[in-house]
Amino acid sequence: MSRTLIVAAAQTGPVARGDSRPAVVRRLIALLREAHGRGARLVVFPELALTTFFPRWWMEDAAEIDSFFEREMPGPETRPLFEEAQRLGVGFYLGYAELAEQAGRTRRFNTAILVDRAGRIVGRYRKVHLPGHRDHLPDRPYQHLEKKYFEPGDLGFPVWRSMNANIGMCICNDRRWPETYRVMGLQDVELVLLGYNTPIPSVMTPQYDHLAAFHNHLSLQAGAYQNACFVVGTAKAGQEEGSNLLAGSCIIAPSGEIVALAASKGDEVITAACDLDLCAINKRTTFNFAAHRRVEHYRLITERTGAAPPAG
Ligand code: CDT
């Protein structure tokens, strides 16, 4: 039986600070319907898809901060997306800001969920590699305060067997780190799903702003090739509250080739027919981990966090 799955990246254009959740959810549903009309059975939405990219602003008022977070998923405003996806028989990835009450403590994460075709949440991922800074830098027109608003994810990089595929998730900056893909590769991942908000100029590396699109694809293509899996990267793109967000949503094959690419900076669906059995080519040969990895030489990867020069 063919394991070809039509997958969609549902890129969105900007979401304004004043856009209501129901209005954003209506946009996501329109994209979901378009993807379904093109045969997609799995749709990937962006990181923090329900709101504007609020970590660009320093905020101190707790109620204002909490207004960007979801306390339940689905909640009354997001349930229509779940219901429509279930009606259409389409699974999806959705990024959002999660407020969780755990062991008597309020915790905030940059989260993505995997929802199966029956509308059940089958996977939850909390962003591990939080970029930016936590201190107030008021001289900048835009900041990148993910380290202030979120805790690092506490769930690792699981892979779920769902929809006849081995599926993993990560979020935005995670895509730049080879460890992200390799931990999932070691669980035989076939599809890595991720959403992103990549502001240009970057607060970290303005020297490389002209290379933002290149670095995006470089990271996604390397992750796919070196771990013999498909990667779906979905942007929130365009001029959002005066900040420019990178577009370039794409679907990458296990060969590392881009097989679908968004052409706009707005709401746009791209699809690819992903033959999941193609993953086996490199999983059995060049990247047959069991045959070729030499873990005795990789200890520094988990023992040391920051780089240190050689002794002497
Ligand atoms: N959202 C997110 O993770 N954005 C980062 C920007 C890094 S610059 C602080 C990214 O990797 O695209």
Side-chain angles (χ1 to χ4, degrees):
M1 193 180 95
S2 160
R3 294 179 64 228
T4 296
L5 172 64
I6 301 182
V7 179
Q11 175 176 289
T12 71
V15 174
R17 188 171 191 152
D19 288 350
S20 69
R21 292 287 198 291
V24 176
V25 168
R26 278 195 294 277
R27 277 170 69 186
L28 300 184
I29 289 174
L31 291 165
L32 184 83
R33 287 179 179 149
E34 185 177 339
H36 173 258
R38 293 206 228 158
R41 306 292 315 277
L42 178 62
V43 175
V44 181
F45 293 111
E47 173 192 32
L48 300 174
L50 300 170
T51 65
T52 199
F53 189 70
F54 62 89
R56 69 170 66 93
W57 295 307
W58 178 266
M59 295 178 281
E60 288 176 356
D61 181 70
E64 184 182 18
I65 295 169
D66 286 353
S67 72
F68 293 102
F69 283 76
E70 311 301 315
R71 289 178 180 272
E72 51 179 337
M73 188 55 70
E77 294 168 329
T78 44
R79 198 175 303 282
L81 176 66
F82 283 66
E83 288 172 349
E84 185 64 358
Q86 183 181 359
R87 190 183 74 78
L88 297 173
V90 177
F92 65 91
Y93 163 114
L94 178 71
Y96 67 99
E98 177 192 8
L99 194 154
E101 301 292 349
Q102 276 178 224
R105 199 154 75 81
T106 299
R107 308 184 68 184
R108 293 178 179 79
F109 298 100
N110 187 340
T111 294
I113 47 169
L114 178 65
V115 179
D116 73 8
R117 294 177 188 134
R120 287 183 302 248
I121 297 177
V122 292
R124 176 179 304 272
Y125 169 74
R126 290 168 170 165
K127 186 174 183 177
V128 167
H129 300 102
L130 295 174
H133 53 99
R134 63 174 59 77
D135 46 326
H136 190 17
L137 303 174
D139 292 343
R140 298 184 174 181
Y142 297 107
Q143 306 188 45
H144 199 110
L145 291 155
E146 286 195 58
K147 287 187 189 294
K148 166 176 163 64
Y149 295 123
F150 303 115
E151 285 181 53
D154 59 349
L155 302 175
F157 295 99
V159 171
W160 295 269
R161 182 73 188 171
S162 183
M163 297 174 261
N164 201 28
N166 299 343
I167 304 178
M169 297 188 279
C170 63
I171 301 178
C172 196
N173 184 253
D174 288 320
R175 74 197 189 284
R176 305 187 192 276
W177 297 85
E179 295 88 346
T180 297
Y181 305 91
R182 184 49 50 93
V183 172
M184 292 192 262
L186 286 165
Q187 298 166 80
D188 236 349
V189 75
E190 295 171 313
L191 263 174
V192 172
L193 315 180
L194 68 104
Y196 59 92
N197 286 256
T198 297
I200 311 166
S202 157
V203 300
M204 307 304 287
T205 51
Q207 304 87 337
Y208 289 146
D209 281 346
H210 61 299
L211 298 175
F214 167 66
H215 288 156
N216 180 36
H217 291 156
L218 178 70
S219 303
L220 300 173
Q221 291 179 258
Y225 169 64
Q226 293 172 345
N227 295 279
C229 61
F230 288 87
V231 175
V232 184
T234 304
K236 175 137 67 61
Q239 286 291 326
E240 189 180 84
E241 297 291 350
S243 165
N244 182 36
L245 297 177
L246 179 71
S249 300
C250 56
I251 302 174
I252 315 293
S255 60
E257 293 166 286
I258 297 175
V259 291
L261 177 62
S264 77
K265 291 182 173 182
D267 289 15
E268 179 179 348
V269 173
I270 58 168
T271 57
C274 301
D275 177 358
L276 298 175
D277 289 331
L278 288 178
C279 300
I281 298 173
N282 266 345
K283 284 190 195 296
R284 286 204 201 109
T285 56
T286 310
F287 296 112
N288 179 337
F289 293 162
H292 305 306
R293 292 182 81 240
R294 291 285 167 235
V295 293
E296 66 274 24
H297 299 298
Y298 305 157
R299 283 175 43 193
L300 273 186
I301 288 178
T302 54
E303 287 180 356
R304 190 182 286 176
T305 304

